[in-house]
Amino acid sequence: MALVSSAFSSIFRGAVASCWARASTSALALQMSSEEMSPKAIMFMITDCEKLSSLERLSLSHGHLFNHTHVSAMMSRVAKVYERKAKVYEGVHADQYQPLMLELSAAALKHVDLMQPREIANILWAVAKLGGVTDASFVPSWLLAAKEKLPEFNAQDLASTLRDVAKLGIRNEGRDDAFISSWLLAALGKLPEFAAQDLANSLWAAAKLGIRNEAFISRWFLAAKGKLPEFNAPDLAKSLWAAAKLGIRDEAFISSWILAAPGKLPEFNAEGLAKSLWAAAKLDIRDEAFISSWLLAAPGKLPEFNAQELASSLWAAATLGVSDKAFISGWLSAAQGKLHEFDAGELADIRWAGDKMGF
């Protein structure tokens, strides 16, 4: 017992000392004049900020000293602070972060020539995380500058960049076709290096953006087939949904997907369950093991389905000829409280499915 007490005291003293050292360093940094601040000290202060107000004060007092690394780190930090706060509190709006993001995005464009690929990708991630709260011209300008450096991007940065472009929904009237073309050229040779999550994100983004480049699609399926056992639940759902959205039925991919998915279906969330069954219906996948596993996993999560997910899952079940009492009972119970949320198209799908399933 004495040994345990001694060990705990030692750990506690170490933690206190570390805390005091961190606080002392921050206090010293705040007391320094701008001219005395080193780039390393500024970076320490950025990573030490836990609130929007702290980041705003830092930008006001030391923003004129920010280099390209600081700007990228600041924008990433703003997004992380927002993300953390939004998970804990309701009513957190990205608009509250817009003034600082406008200031930082303007600085980013001034420093873009010095930016490394990871910094470019991180800035796009931050903007996407905050729902694009920057000047309307920023993203097109950023992509115009970024596309020249795409050949230097590694697999992870390529995948995350296309994902964030898709999240921002900016492919309007062909404005970013030059970026998409440059991205495809850079990505084709690196697809074998894409990790499971990178593969899932890139095909999801291609589906969202309507990219049907044959070379990319064929190489994607070739790269993905051997890595499907590494896909987690969200990646599996996302990739099958994307294949269905693109209208592509690759037999080798589907066979590998069916082997990988059933054991992970209990880990699928409501969105993943709904999208995977919808995709199975679209691609005419009638594998008994998958459908049985889906029907075991879904009923307990049906209360979490939103109106769109409820409608699409019932349509998919009817399309696949599924008639499971537990699923139908759970579906009806979940749908009762969401009747006012269904739109006209969803109600039409529900009526068609109900007629087909006999209820």
PDB file of all heavy atoms in Angstrom, residues 150-172:
ATOM      1  N   LEU A 150      -0.519  19.700 -56.225  1.00  0.00           N
ATOM      2  CA  LEU A 150      -1.117  18.390 -56.028  1.00  0.00           C
ATOM      3  C   LEU A 150      -0.152  17.224 -56.292  1.00  0.00           C
ATOM      4  O   LEU A 150      -0.227  16.206 -55.598  1.00  0.00           O
ATOM      5  CB  LEU A 150      -2.367  18.245 -56.899  1.00  0.00           C
ATOM      6  CG  LEU A 150      -3.608  18.978 -56.376  1.00  0.00           C
ATOM      7  CD1 LEU A 150      -4.717  18.960 -57.416  1.00  0.00           C
ATOM      8  CD2 LEU A 150      -4.108  18.371 -55.073  1.00  0.00           C
ATOM      9  N   PRO A 151       0.760  17.320 -57.263  1.00  0.00           N
ATOM     10  CA  PRO A 151       1.704  16.208 -57.453  1.00  0.00           C
ATOM     11  C   PRO A 151       2.570  15.927 -56.231  1.00  0.00           C
ATOM     12  O   PRO A 151       3.114  14.821 -56.093  1.00  0.00           O
ATOM     13  CB  PRO A 151       2.564  16.676 -58.642  1.00  0.00           C
ATOM     14  CG  PRO A 151       1.670  17.610 -59.396  1.00  0.00           C
ATOM     15  CD  PRO A 151       0.889  18.326 -58.332  1.00  0.00           C
ATOM     16  N   GLU A 152       2.689  16.912 -55.326  1.00  0.00           N
ATOM     17  CA  GLU A 152       3.501  16.723 -54.123  1.00  0.00           C
ATOM     18  C   GLU A 152       2.692  16.139 -52.965  1.00  0.00           C
ATOM     19  O   GLU A 152       3.253  15.748 -51.942  1.00  0.00           O
ATOM     20  CB  GLU A 152       4.092  18.072 -53.681  1.00  0.00           C
ATOM     21  CG  GLU A 152       4.933  18.786 -54.733  1.00  0.00           C
ATOM     22  CD  GLU A 152       5.259  20.204 -54.322  1.00  0.00           C
ATOM     23  OE1 GLU A 152       5.416  20.453 -53.101  1.00  0.00           O
ATOM     24  OE2 GLU A 152       5.338  21.086 -55.205  1.00  0.00           O
ATOM     25  N   PHE A 153       1.383  16.054 -53.107  1.00  0.00           N
ATOM     26  CA  PHE A 153       0.532  15.556 -52.028  1.00  0.00           C
ATOM     27  C   PHE A 153       0.740  14.056 -51.849  1.00  0.00           C
ATOM     28  O   PHE A 153       0.894  13.314 -52.821  1.00  0.00           O
ATOM     29  CB  PHE A 153      -0.948  15.810 -52.355  1.00  0.00           C
ATOM     30  CG  PHE A 153      -1.443  17.197 -52.064  1.00  0.00           C
ATOM     31  CD1 PHE A 153      -0.684  18.308 -52.387  1.00  0.00           C
ATOM     32  CD2 PHE A 153      -2.683  17.397 -51.481  1.00  0.00           C
ATOM     33  CE1 PHE A 153      -1.141  19.582 -52.132  1.00  0.00           C
ATOM     34  CE2 PHE A 153      -3.154  18.677 -51.215  1.00  0.00           C
ATOM     35  CZ  PHE A 153      -2.376  19.773 -51.542  1.00  0.00           C
ATOM     36  N   ASN A 154       0.727  13.612 -50.583  1.00  0.00           N
ATOM     37  CA  ASN A 154       0.751  12.174 -50.349  1.00  0.00           C
ATOM     38  C   ASN A 154      -0.671  11.626 -50.447  1.00  0.00           C
ATOM     39  O   ASN A 154      -1.639  12.369 -50.653  1.00  0.00           O
ATOM     40  CB  ASN A 154       1.402  11.840 -49.007  1.00  0.00           C
ATOM     41  CG  ASN A 154       0.642  12.388 -47.807  1.00  0.00           C
ATOM     42  OD1 ASN A 154      -0.560  12.650 -47.872  1.00  0.00           O
ATOM     43  ND2 ASN A 154       1.332  12.579 -46.703  1.00  0.00           N
ATOM     44  N   ALA A 155      -0.820  10.321 -50.292  1.00  0.00           N
ATOM     45  CA  ALA A 155      -2.120   9.674 -50.470  1.00  0.00           C
ATOM     46  C   ALA A 155      -3.176  10.234 -49.523  1.00  0.00           C
ATOM     47  O   ALA A 155      -4.307  10.537 -49.934  1.00  0.00           O
ATOM     48  CB  ALA A 155      -1.978   8.167 -50.278  1.00  0.00           C
ATOM     49  N   GLN A 156      -2.814  10.392 -48.252  1.00  0.00           N
ATOM     50  CA  GLN A 156      -3.786  10.872 -47.264  1.00  0.00           C
ATOM     51  C   GLN A 156      -4.253  12.286 -47.584  1.00  0.00           C
ATOM     52  O   GLN A 156      -5.453  12.593 -47.499  1.00  0.00           O
ATOM     53  CB  GLN A 156      -3.182  10.835 -45.860  1.00  0.00           C
ATOM     54  CG  GLN A 156      -4.142  11.279 -44.767  1.00  0.00           C
ATOM     55  CD  GLN A 156      -3.492  11.306 -43.387  1.00  0.00           C
ATOM     56  OE1 GLN A 156      -2.343  10.925 -43.234  1.00  0.00           O
ATOM     57  NE2 GLN A 156      -4.233  11.743 -42.405  1.00  0.00           N
ATOM     58  N   ASP A 157      -3.329  13.162 -47.966  1.00  0.00           N
ATOM     59  CA  ASP A 157      -3.692  14.544 -48.265  1.00  0.00           C
ATOM     60  C   ASP A 157      -4.529  14.641 -49.538  1.00  0.00           C
ATOM     61  O   ASP A 157      -5.443  15.480 -49.628  1.00  0.00           O
ATOM     62  CB  ASP A 157      -2.436  15.406 -48.393  1.00  0.00           C
ATOM     63  CG  ASP A 157      -1.701  15.564 -47.062  1.00  0.00           C
ATOM     64  OD1 ASP A 157      -2.355  15.427 -46.015  1.00  0.00           O
ATOM     65  OD2 ASP A 157      -0.484  15.804 -47.079  1.00  0.00           O
ATOM     66  N   LEU A 158      -4.250  13.791 -50.519  1.00  0.00           N
ATOM     67  CA  LEU A 158      -5.065  13.770 -51.729  1.00  0.00           C
ATOM     68  C   LEU A 158      -6.500  13.368 -51.405  1.00  0.00           C
ATOM     69  O   LEU A 158      -7.458  14.005 -51.842  1.00  0.00           O
ATOM     70  CB  LEU A 158      -4.472  12.796 -52.748  1.00  0.00           C
ATOM     71  CG  LEU A 158      -3.252  13.287 -53.534  1.00  0.00           C
ATOM     72  CD1 LEU A 158      -2.586  12.132 -54.263  1.00  0.00           C
ATOM     73  CD2 LEU A 158      -3.638  14.386 -54.525  1.00  0.00           C
ATOM     74  N   ALA A 159      -6.644  12.294 -50.628  1.00  0.00           N
ATOM     75  CA  ALA A 159      -7.987  11.807 -50.288  1.00  0.00           C
ATOM     76  C   ALA A 159      -8.759  12.823 -49.462  1.00  0.00           C
ATOM     77  O   ALA A 159      -9.946  13.086 -49.726  1.00  0.00           O
ATOM     78  CB  ALA A 159      -7.880  10.484 -49.532  1.00  0.00           C
ATOM     79  N   SER A 160      -8.105  13.405 -48.470  1.00  0.00           N
ATOM     80  CA  SER A 160      -8.813  14.352 -47.599  1.00  0.00           C
ATOM     81  C   SER A 160      -9.193  15.621 -48.356  1.00  0.00           C
ATOM     82  O   SER A 160     -10.244  16.217 -48.106  1.00  0.00           O
ATOM     83  CB  SER A 160      -7.961  14.694 -46.373  1.00  0.00           C
ATOM     84  OG  SER A 160      -6.802  15.418 -46.739  1.00  0.00           O
ATOM     85  N   THR A 161      -8.351  16.030 -49.299  1.00  0.00           N
ATOM     86  CA  THR A 161      -8.648  17.237 -50.078  1.00  0.00           C
ATOM     87  C   THR A 161      -9.883  17.048 -50.939  1.00  0.00           C
ATOM     88  O   THR A 161     -10.776  17.910 -50.965  1.00  0.00           O
ATOM     89  CB  THR A 161      -7.444  17.609 -50.962  1.00  0.00           C
ATOM     90  OG1 THR A 161      -6.315  17.907 -50.133  1.00  0.00           O
ATOM     91  CG2 THR A 161      -7.755  18.817 -51.822  1.00  0.00           C
ATOM     92  N   LEU A 162      -9.985  15.916 -51.638  1.00  0.00           N
ATOM     93  CA  LEU A 162     -11.173  15.683 -52.458  1.00  0.00           C
ATOM     94  C   LEU A 162     -12.410  15.537 -51.577  1.00  0.00           C
ATOM     95  O   LEU A 162     -13.498  16.019 -51.919  1.00  0.00           O
ATOM     96  CB  LEU A 162     -10.999  14.427 -53.324  1.00  0.00           C
ATOM     97  CG  LEU A 162     -12.035  14.304 -54.455  1.00  0.00           C
ATOM     98  CD1 LEU A 162     -11.809  15.384 -55.505  1.00  0.00           C
ATOM     99  CD2 LEU A 162     -11.998  12.930 -55.102  1.00  0.00           C
ATOM    100  N   ARG A 163     -12.249  14.876 -50.429  1.00  0.00           N
ATOM    101  CA  ARG A 163     -13.373  14.746 -49.485  1.00  0.00           C
ATOM    102  C   ARG A 163     -13.886  16.117 -49.071  1.00  0.00           C
ATOM    103  O   ARG A 163     -15.101  16.362 -49.032  1.00  0.00           O
ATOM    104  CB  ARG A 163     -12.917  13.971 -48.248  1.00  0.00           C
ATOM    105  CG  ARG A 163     -13.948  13.867 -47.135  1.00  0.00           C
ATOM    106  CD  ARG A 163     -13.266  13.612 -45.800  1.00  0.00           C
ATOM    107  NE  ARG A 163     -12.415  14.727 -45.409  1.00  0.00           N
ATOM    108  CZ  ARG A 163     -11.411  14.646 -44.536  1.00  0.00           C
ATOM    109  NH1 ARG A 163     -11.125  13.491 -43.970  1.00  0.00           N
ATOM    110  NH2 ARG A 163     -10.694  15.711 -44.229  1.00  0.00           N
ATOM    111  N   ASP A 164     -12.979  17.030 -48.761  1.00  0.00           N
ATOM    112  CA  ASP A 164     -13.393  18.341 -48.271  1.00  0.00           C
ATOM    113  C   ASP A 164     -13.975  19.209 -49.382  1.00  0.00           C
ATOM    114  O   ASP A 164     -14.877  20.018 -49.134  1.00  0.00           O
ATOM    115  CB  ASP A 164     -12.216  19.036 -47.581  1.00  0.00           C
ATOM    116  CG  ASP A 164     -11.802  18.317 -46.310  1.00  0.00           C
ATOM    117  OD1 ASP A 164     -12.679  17.727 -45.652  1.00  0.00           O
ATOM    118  OD2 ASP A 164     -10.601  18.313 -45.976  1.00  0.00           O
ATOM    119  N   VAL A 165     -13.466  19.033 -50.604  1.00  0.00           N
ATOM    120  CA  VAL A 165     -14.086  19.718 -51.741  1.00  0.00           C
ATOM    121  C   VAL A 165     -15.531  19.261 -51.882  1.00  0.00           C
ATOM    122  O   VAL A 165     -16.446  20.062 -52.090  1.00  0.00           O
ATOM    123  CB  VAL A 165     -13.298  19.443 -53.039  1.00  0.00           C
ATOM    124  CG1 VAL A 165     -14.079  19.933 -54.261  1.00  0.00           C
ATOM    125  CG2 VAL A 165     -11.939  20.131 -52.995  1.00  0.00           C
ATOM    126  N   ALA A 166     -15.756  17.950 -51.731  1.00  0.00           N
ATOM    127  CA  ALA A 166     -17.117  17.412 -51.827  1.00  0.00           C
ATOM    128  C   ALA A 166     -17.998  17.912 -50.688  1.00  0.00           C
ATOM    129  O   ALA A 166     -19.171  18.225 -50.891  1.00  0.00           O
ATOM    130  CB  ALA A 166     -17.072  15.883 -51.827  1.00  0.00           C
ATOM    131  N   LYS A 167     -17.443  17.982 -49.491  1.00  0.00           N
ATOM    132  CA  LYS A 167     -18.219  18.476 -48.350  1.00  0.00           C
ATOM    133  C   LYS A 167     -18.650  19.920 -48.556  1.00  0.00           C
ATOM    134  O   LYS A 167     -19.738  20.325 -48.131  1.00  0.00           O
ATOM    135  CB  LYS A 167     -17.399  18.356 -47.066  1.00  0.00           C
ATOM    136  CG  LYS A 167     -17.331  16.948 -46.503  1.00  0.00           C
ATOM    137  CD  LYS A 167     -16.620  16.931 -45.176  1.00  0.00           C
ATOM    138  CE  LYS A 167     -16.640  15.544 -44.543  1.00  0.00           C
ATOM    139  NZ  LYS A 167     -15.949  15.519 -43.237  1.00  0.00           N
ATOM    140  N   LEU A 168     -17.803  20.691 -49.175  1.00  0.00           N
ATOM    141  CA  LEU A 168     -18.140  22.088 -49.412  1.00  0.00           C
ATOM    142  C   LEU A 168     -19.140  22.245 -50.547  1.00  0.00           C
ATOM    143  O   LEU A 168     -19.752  23.302 -50.702  1.00  0.00           O
ATOM    144  CB  LEU A 168     -16.856  22.886 -49.721  1.00  0.00           C
ATOM    145  CG  LEU A 168     -15.951  23.154 -48.510  1.00  0.00           C
ATOM    146  CD1 LEU A 168     -14.569  23.595 -48.970  1.00  0.00           C
ATOM    147  CD2 LEU A 168     -16.567  24.214 -47.616  1.00  0.00           C
ATOM    148  N   GLY A 169     -19.291  21.191 -51.355  1.00  0.00           N
ATOM    149  CA  GLY A 169     -20.280  21.217 -52.429  1.00  0.00           C
ATOM    150  C   GLY A 169     -20.042  22.314 -53.427  1.00  0.00           C
ATOM    151  O   GLY A 169     -20.964  23.018 -53.844  1.00  0.00           O
ATOM    152  N   ILE A 170     -18.793  22.481 -53.849  1.00  0.00           N
ATOM    153  CA  ILE A 170     -18.473  23.651 -54.673  1.00  0.00           C
ATOM    154  C   ILE A 170     -18.350  23.354 -56.156  1.00  0.00           C
ATOM    155  O   ILE A 170     -17.953  24.204 -56.923  1.00  0.00           O
ATOM    156  CB  ILE A 170     -17.146  24.280 -54.204  1.00  0.00           C
ATOM    157  CG1 ILE A 170     -16.035  23.243 -54.295  1.00  0.00           C
ATOM    158  CG2 ILE A 170     -17.261  24.831 -52.807  1.00  0.00           C
ATOM    159  CD1 ILE A 170     -14.678  23.846 -54.200  1.00  0.00           C
ATOM    160  N   ARG A 171     -18.680  22.128 -56.568  1.00  0.00           N
ATOM    161  CA  ARG A 171     -18.538  21.869 -58.005  1.00  0.00           C
ATOM    162  C   ARG A 171     -19.753  22.394 -58.745  1.00  0.00           C
ATOM    163  O   ARG A 171     -20.669  21.664 -59.083  1.00  0.00           O
ATOM    164  CB  ARG A 171     -18.356  20.380 -58.284  1.00  0.00           C
ATOM    165  CG  ARG A 171     -17.785  20.140 -59.678  1.00  0.00           C
ATOM    166  CD  ARG A 171     -17.634  18.671 -59.971  1.00  0.00           C
ATOM    167  NE  ARG A 171     -16.863  18.521 -61.190  1.00  0.00           N
ATOM    168  CZ  ARG A 171     -16.926  17.472 -61.974  1.00  0.00           C
ATOM    169  NH1 ARG A 171     -17.713  16.467 -61.675  1.00  0.00           N
ATOM    170  NH2 ARG A 171     -16.187  17.403 -63.058  1.00  0.00           N
ATOM    171  N   ASN A 172     -19.772  23.677 -58.985  1.00  0.00           N
ATOM    172  CA  ASN A 172     -20.906  24.323 -59.642  1.00  0.00           C
ATOM    173  C   ASN A 172     -20.463  24.863 -61.002  1.00  0.00           C
ATOM    174  O   ASN A 172     -19.480  25.595 -61.108  1.00  0.00           O
ATOM    175  CB  ASN A 172     -21.435  25.483 -58.788  1.00  0.00           C
ATOM    176  CG  ASN A 172     -21.949  25.000 -57.450  1.00  0.00           C
ATOM    177  OD1 ASN A 172     -22.586  23.960 -57.362  1.00  0.00           O
ATOM    178  ND2 ASN A 172     -21.663  25.745 -56.404  1.00  0.00           N
TER     179      ASN A 172
END
